[in-house]
Amino acid sequence: MTPEQPGARRERSDRVHALITALRALRQQHPADAPEFQQAVSRHLSALAAYSSLWKLEDFPILDGQRWGVYQLHEEADGSLGLYASAARPGHAQPPHNHTTWACIAGVSGIERNRFYQREEAGQSPGPARLIRSGTQDIGAGGTCFLLADDIHDIEVIPPGDAMHLHLYGQGLPHLHQRLRFDLTLERCEYFPAFTGIPVFDLTP
């Protein structure tokens, strides 16, 4: 791996800091379900993802034998505003799930296919759960997707190339203990264990 230039490290640090500063202001101005909030968050995250030289796959390696590597770029002291760089190989997938917090995805490179669902049964508890497909969106470079807390989607990285996306959550992934994942075949859902042990990417300039 070629050593990263100090200028790139500082630029990445500065641009992540600028995003977080904007998000802190936005959440004081609008609730998450306001279109103004969703549009602004999507715009800011897409702008950060557009600096593709800061998000090279070689700087966010996927371990041998794995299809996915995720790196924490930021999390507030209270666990909110979790920002991650997600690198994935074709075939990486996550089952249908919700988040219990708002989320936004922005594409840097490659294609992440998102399929969206609606749950027939009311409620947010584990148990019987029949899902109805409601849409599909391929997120590539320049694309974004905003999800509210109860929205359900699955993801799959589509060939031919590896993918890099930025993922932003109202609460960081290690704190999401009430998420649900859905089994389309069994028509049931269960709690989705929180992702823990996520490596923290060094943003020191």
Side-chain angles (χ1 to χ4, degrees), residues 61 63 69-74 83-85 196-202:
L63 297 178
V70 62
Y71 295 83
Q72 179 183 301
L73 301 170
H74 180 82
L83 176 64
Y84 306 91
T196 58
I198 299 173
V200 177
F201 189 85
D202 184 6

Side-chain angles (χ1 to χ4, degrees), residues 164-185:
M164 171 64 78
H165 290 72
L166 300 182
H167 288 227
L168 174 65
Y169 300 87
Q171 289 290 322
L173 288 173
H175 311 288
L176 304 182
H177 299 287
Q178 299 297 310
R179 293 196 307 163
L180 295 173
R181 62 182 173 194
F182 297 80
D183 189 309
L184 295 173
T185 301

Side-chain angles (χ1 to χ4, degrees), residues 11-176:
E11 182 180 7
R12 184 189 294 113
S13 177
D14 289 347
R15 294 198 181 280
V16 168
H17 178 73
L19 169 70
I20 299 304
T21 299
L23 293 172
R24 289 169 179 159
L26 279 170
R27 64 181 183 176
Q28 297 299 318
Q29 298 166 0
H30 305 289
D33 60 356
E36 297 88 346
F37 181 83
Q38 299 169 29
Q39 293 164 8
V41 169
S42 298
R43 184 173 64 252
H44 283 295
L45 191 62
S46 178
L48 180 60
Y51 293 95
S52 57
S53 62
L54 304 180
W55 315 111
K56 296 178 181 177
L57 286 159
E58 64 187 55
D59 295 326
F60 299 87
I62 303 170
L63 297 178
D64 290 342
Q66 302 294 316
R67 290 183 179 270
W68 177 54
V70 62
Y71 295 83
Q72 179 183 301
L73 301 170
H74 180 82
E75 183 180 286
E76 297 280 74
D78 63 359
S80 66
L81 298 182
L83 176 64
Y84 306 91
S86 176
R89 298 192 171 102
H92 167 68
Q94 293 287 353
H97 60 276
N98 64 5
H99 295 103
T100 67
T101 187
W102 62 263
C104 188
I105 303 168
V108 177
S109 60
I111 300 295
E112 180 186 280
R113 177 162 295 166
N114 283 247
R115 289 175 286 258
F116 306 102
Y117 302 87
Q118 292 181 342
R119 184 178 179 177
E120 284 192 346
E121 301 83 4
Q124 296 297 320
S125 300
R130 183 192 298 269
L131 298 184
I132 301 173
R133 176 88 65 85
S134 58
T136 302
Q137 180 184 358
D138 287 350
I139 303 177
T144 62
C145 170
F146 190 98
L147 298 143
L148 290 172
D150 295 338
D151 289 341
I152 300 169
H153 77 144
D154 64 18
I155 64 170
E156 180 183 4
V157 174
I158 304 301
D162 293 347
M164 171 64 78
H165 290 72
L166 300 182
H167 288 227
L168 174 65
Y169 300 87
Q171 289 290 322
L173 288 173
H175 311 288
L176 304 182

